[in-house]
Amino acid sequence: MWTLVGRGWGCARTPARWATGAALGPAPTFGAAPESWPTCRVYSSAEFKEKLDMSRFPVENIRNFSIVAHVDHGKSTLADRLLELTGTIDKTKNNKQVLDKLQVERERGITVKAQTASLFHNCEGKQYLLNLIDTPGHVDFSYEVSRSLSACQGVLLVVDANEGIQAQTVANFFLAFEAQLSVIPVINKIDLKNADPERVENQIEKVFDIPSDECIKISAKLGTNVESVLQAVIERIPPPKVHRKNPLRALVFDSTFDQYRGVIANVALFDGVVSKGDKIVSAHTQKTYEVNEVGVLNPNEQPTHKLYAGQVGYLIAGMKNVTEAQIGDTLYLHKQPVEPLPGFKSAKPMVFAGMYPVDQSEYNNLKSAIEKLTLNDSSVTVHRDSSLALGAGWRLGFLGLLHMEVFNQRLEQEYNASVILTTPTVPYKAVLSSSKLIKEYREKEITIINPAQFPDESKVTEYLEPVVLGTIITPDEYTGKIMTLCEARRAVQKNMIFIDQNRVMLKYLFPLNEIVVDFYDSLKSLSSGYASFDYEDAGYQTAELVKMDILLNGNSVEELVTVVHKDKAHSIGKAICERLKDSLPRQLFEIAIQAAIGSKIIARETVKAYRKNVLAKCYGGDITRKMKLLKRQAEGKKKLRKIGNVEVPKDAFIKVLKTRSSK
């Protein structure tokens, strides 16, 4: 397609003598010779898109940085102001969470995906390229943060001037510290009535050992003092250490799937140059691709001629299969192999849940949706699974409960998929006792992610459960209540530090299954929302675990099998039996709902049978006649109970298995 730049009229033929920039004359008369047509400039539609020349940014003028903070401390708002200050977006009142593009992020007001934006900033006569990555703040998305930091040389650590240091602030600081990045502390929300920046400065100095005069006090909402943040980024964050003359080495740190263009990979270039038409090879799959488009995110996609070492951008290379773009993969030029970059430590799932389509005919559509979404969210692990009641499905591993809810919500919103999600469980381990079993399983220590496959006590020497090291930061008036809550969850106290006059940092070792469902909600309600919680993996410990079966008229229901601690088996069994009693439809015979550990019944509920009044036709008369009718009815019910199977309807499963937000 050709576009004629000029006024009023257009033509399909393009004589070679047309010059650039001459004014258009009147439209030619119909049938006139081409030589008499006026001169003008013709652009192709490919030329019409103005492409950025990235070579004008030498390595010393590039800064790659991330914004990290606790939930709701103002990361996305600060990112909006930085985008406005550098002229990347226009200043309007509608600029709220510009980088939060997902519907789930807008609805919940949280960042779920790390987003990249390239800013062009003029400072003291030099043109700088600032690559900003806005990261999530919730503990469940810490894998996004650690991946983003691999493409950066520094971070802005944002702290709320009102709330001070929170649990995730501490976790994010140590992620940046371990990656040896420059940390610039930014105290946000100084415009609030209860803001106390001096107290927060002292906290930062005490907990992180960063001098208080290095803190920058801003209000991202009002834009107060945000220019000094840009100045600090240029002065305090070093440029990337890269070599443009070396062969190409690019790290894929994120990717999304577009149904028309295939996989769009977000890359950080460590060495070399990449341009459209280059042949590149994936170190993971060893497949060769041709680069169709390269560019930067500004914050929307902006194609460029080339990307150079030290820059962060996107790359489209016709990868049509979602499994081809592995996050952490290294891309290099064809016939110029390089040493692959270290990549990322794979995410360790903390919570497992079964996912099944509501209708089995939707299985293939849901499979495709899960594949595309796991490309964008690589921390989810997928194993195929099947259930007698719910059909074919998957066992998915998540980093936490919020992560599971967000994944489910994104499936519904982005792919219009409706699913059944079972109660979350955690991965247990069992140490096998006999050499015959070790030979059968091919290892001494087996991991169990599905409670139905939990081995019998006679086959194992010990069971192991996952534990986490939890950090709780709270105002000191709630310390007593929180300690009681932690002890009720079988937690062991490890440390207790006062970070200032009225805030305490508690460290506890928790069994993961005790905190996975509703601990965070209980903690927030006990502390009026002031306490914050963060946890990190701390391996496994031995535990007295038992497998609890749920029986309906003596028959075990595989989908309702759970693994519980011996001390809590009775209360959990009773709760499941009560929920089942409310969910199961009544039959013509009595249904016994029992929770059992091995052959021992620990809880029972009964669903009463429908009862026909067989004595309705007896008006008085001999008692033996009535007894005879009642006896016959009882025998009929006994026979029914023997031959009648209790089919648990799907909606009853959903009611019992669905995540309980509160007990």
Side-chain angles (χ1 to χ4, degrees):
M1 174 193 161
W2 295 91
T3 306
L4 185 65
V5 180
R7 286 172 293 148
W9 58 273
C11 54
R13 294 168 64 188
T14 55
R17 72 176 187 80
W18 285 1
T20 307
L24 280 170
T29 52
F30 185 73
E35 285 70 26
S36 65
W37 292 356
T39 56
C40 58
R41 167 79 168 102
V42 178
Y43 293 89
S44 74
S45 58
E47 281 182 292
F48 205 61
K49 276 185 186 175
E50 187 193 343
K51 289 197 175 180
L52 288 166
D53 178 16
M54 300 304 287
S55 63
R56 58 198 175 98
F57 298 104
V59 175
E60 57 272 16
N61 286 8
I62 297 174
R63 302 289 182 271
N64 299 325
F65 68 100
S66 232
I67 305 179
V68 296
H70 189 76
V71 185
D72 205 27
H73 278 204
K75 290 181 302 301
S76 299
T77 314
L78 175 57
D80 294 345
R81 295 297 86 77
L82 294 175
L83 289 169
E84 285 176 2
L85 263 178
T86 53
T88 311
I89 56 173
D90 296 329
K91 283 188 183 180
T92 66
K93 288 182 181 176
N94 300 331
N95 286 344
K96 288 180 182 173
Q97 296 174 290
V98 174
L99 294 178
D100 289 351
K101 295 171 184 173
L102 300 175
Q103 189 183 337
V104 63
E105 293 179 318
R106 298 265 172 186
E107 284 175 5
R108 290 175 177 256
I110 57 171
T111 305
V112 168
K113 278 294 298 171
Q115 297 289 353
T116 310
S118 294
L119 322 176
F120 306 109
H121 181 54
N122 210 324
C123 178
E124 296 171 4
K126 289 182 182 174
Q127 189 76 10
Y128 285 90
L129 170 63
L130 312 177
N131 294 312
L132 147 76
I133 304 179
D134 182 24
T135 62
H138 197 279
V139 54
D140 284 12
F141 305 106
S142 56
Y143 186 61
E144 285 283 323
V145 180
S146 62
R147 284 213 325 267
S148 305
L149 297 185
S150 67
C152 298
Q153 283 75 49
V155 296
L156 296 177
L157 183 70
V158 181
V159 187
D160 189 320
N162 189 19
E163 293 184 5
I165 289 175
Q166 301 283 295
Q168 197 60 27
T169 318
V170 178
N172 285 336
F173 169 79
F174 284 109
L175 276 177
F177 185 73
E178 283 164 18
Q180 297 180 334
L181 305 182
S182 305
V183 178
I184 301 174
V186 176
I187 299 173
N188 189 18
K189 304 190 185 182
I190 57 168
D191 56 307
L192 292 180
K193 191 169 67 176
N194 297 329
D196 190 352
E198 283 70 33
R199 177 174 63 88
V200 178
E201 275 183 350
N202 295 334
Q203 285 181 7
I204 290 171
E205 191 160 0
K206 184 172 182 180
V207 179
F208 302 140
D209 206 18
I210 298 173
S212 55
D213 57 351
E214 287 187 20
C215 298
I216 303 168
K217 297 173 197 166
I218 65 159
S219 166
K221 188 178 180 181
L222 303 178
T224 313
N225 203 26
V226 177
E227 315 82 47
S228 55
V229 174
L230 279 175
Q231 194 63 35
V233 165
I234 290 166
E235 289 171 4
R236 295 197 219 166
I237 294 176
K241 291 174 183 172
V242 293
H243 305 282
R244 291 190 174 176
K245 290 179 182 176
N246 288 4
L248 171 71
R249 241 187 355 162
L251 174 74
V252 179
F253 67 91
D254 202 356
S255 53
T256 49
F257 188 81
D258 184 295
Q259 65 184 89
Y260 302 110
R261 299 186 292 172
V263 174
I264 302 169
N266 285 14
V267 293
L269 270 70
F270 284 80
D271 288 314
V273 182
V274 66
S275 58
K276 184 180 174 179
D278 283 351
K279 288 254 174 41
I280 57 166
V281 181
S282 155
H284 177 73
T285 61
Q286 292 300 314
K287 287 187 180 177
T288 305
Y289 307 95
E290 186 176 331
V291 178
N292 301 332
E293 188 181 314
V294 291
V296 291
L297 294 153
N298 187 25
N300 299 319
E301 289 167 12
Q302 172 118 14
T304 63
H305 294 289
K306 292 182 179 181
L307 277 180
Y308 296 85
Q311 295 172 358
V312 175
Y314 71 92
L315 178 147
I316 302 170
M319 298 178 186
K320 294 296 177 193
N321 194 333
V322 290
T323 56
E324 290 175 30
Q326 289 288 328
I327 288 176
D329 195 1
T330 302
L331 304 175
Y332 59 86
L333 289 175
H334 186 51
K335 293 183 179 171
Q336 291 187 15
V338 292
E339 182 72 26
L341 292 156
F344 306 110
K345 198 167 61 176
S346 58
K348 193 171 181 185
M350 294 290 206
V351 178
F352 287 87
M355 185 175 274
Y356 302 90
V358 171
D359 184 352
Q360 278 297 310
S361 62
E362 291 293 308
Y363 180 84
N364 287 333
N365 293 345
L366 183 58
K367 183 183 176 191
S368 164
I370 288 174
E371 281 176 356
K372 286 172 186 170
L373 199 48
T374 48
L375 170 74
N376 190 232
D377 188 353
S378 63
S379 52
V380 178
T381 60
V382 183
H383 301 277
R384 285 186 63 179
D385 197 8
S386 65
S387 143
L388 291 170
L390 303 172
W394 299 268
R395 196 111 195 131
L396 302 183
F398 302 98
L399 300 182
L401 214 62
L402 178 68
H403 186 205
M404 183 177 91
E405 286 174 20
V406 165
F407 188 87
N408 189 18
Q409 201 171 331
R410 285 185 71 186
L411 270 181
E412 287 175 8
Q413 289 173 352
E414 294 171 34
Y415 299 96
N416 207 17
S418 50
V419 297
I420 298 166
L421 209 58
T422 65
T423 312
T425 59
V426 300
Y428 296 101
K429 285 187 177 180
V431 180
L432 300 171
S433 55
S434 70
S435 54
K436 187 183 174 184
L437 286 165
I438 294 167
K439 197 174 179 182
E440 187 187 323
Y441 285 100
R442 295 182 181 174
E443 53 188 344
K444 189 173 183 182
E445 203 173 82
I446 57 167
T447 304
I448 306 120
I449 61 169
N450 191 340
Q453 294 158 1
F454 198 75
D456 191 60
E457 207 171 349
S458 59
K459 295 180 180 178
V460 299
T461 50
E462 62 177 357
Y463 294 116
L464 305 169
E465 66 176 350
V467 287
V468 292
L469 184 64
T471 305
I472 300 168
I473 294 182
T474 174
D476 58 356
E477 64 258 36
Y478 303 111
T479 311
K481 289 181 186 174
I482 289 170
M483 287 171 116
T484 309
L485 171 71
C486 295
E487 280 158 22
R489 301 301 178 104
R490 301 192 287 123
V492 179
Q493 189 175 337
K494 290 290 176 188
N495 204 348
M496 180 176 173
I497 304 165
F498 278 84
I499 57 174
D500 64 16
Q501 288 83 8
N502 55 4
R503 292 185 82 77
V504 185
M505 181 159 74
L506 302 165
K507 286 201 180 274
Y508 274 91
L509 201 63
F510 287 95
L512 180 59
N513 66 342
E514 293 289 342
I515 63 165
V516 83
V517 174
D518 63 343
F519 177 77
Y520 192 66
D521 295 344
S522 306
L523 180 71
K524 284 287 181 189
S525 58
L526 272 183
S527 63
S528 309
Y530 285 112
S532 62
F533 179 63
D534 174 62
Y535 60 83
E536 58 186 274
D537 183 34
Y540 282 78
Q541 69 177 17
T542 55
E544 290 188 73
L545 301 174
V546 288
K547 175 182 171 183
M548 187 169 69
D549 292 295
I550 301 296
L551 313 175
L552 296 181
N553 281 353
N555 298 322
S556 177
V557 184
E558 187 189 306
E559 289 73 31
L560 298 177
V561 174
T562 50
V563 175
V564 292
H565 192 269
K566 207 171 184 178
D567 299 345
K568 300 214 165 184
H570 179 262
S571 57
I572 293 170
K574 196 169 189 314
I576 292 176
C577 289
E578 283 170 0
R579 285 211 308 281
L580 255 181
K581 183 187 176 184
D582 296 337
S583 309
L584 282 179
R586 286 172 71 186
Q587 307 285 341
L588 289 168
F589 51 90
E590 198 175 78
I591 304 171
I593 305 165
Q594 296 166 311
I597 296 170
S599 57
K600 185 185 175 187
I601 306 297
I602 57 166
R604 172 179 172 136
E605 292 289 334
T606 307
V607 177
K608 296 290 182 192
Y610 281 124
R611 186 169 179 274
K612 183 183 175 187
N613 187 4
V614 289
L615 305 180
K617 58 187 175 186
C618 300
Y619 299 100
D622 188 12
I623 188 68
T624 53
R625 169 77 177 144
K626 292 180 182 176
M627 294 304 291
K628 186 180 173 185
L629 288 169
L630 288 169
K631 191 178 177 186
R632 190 187 294 169
Q633 185 187 34
E635 281 171 1
K637 295 235 183 247
K638 196 174 178 184
K639 188 179 176 186
L640 255 179
R641 191 173 166 185
K642 275 184 186 173
I643 59 169
N645 287 328
V646 182
E647 291 234 345
V648 183
K650 200 170 270 188
D651 60 339
F653 266 117
I654 298 165
K655 279 180 194 168
V656 176
L657 294 175
K658 72 179 177 185
T659 308
R660 307 181 301 283
S661 57
S662 57
K663 284 184 179 173

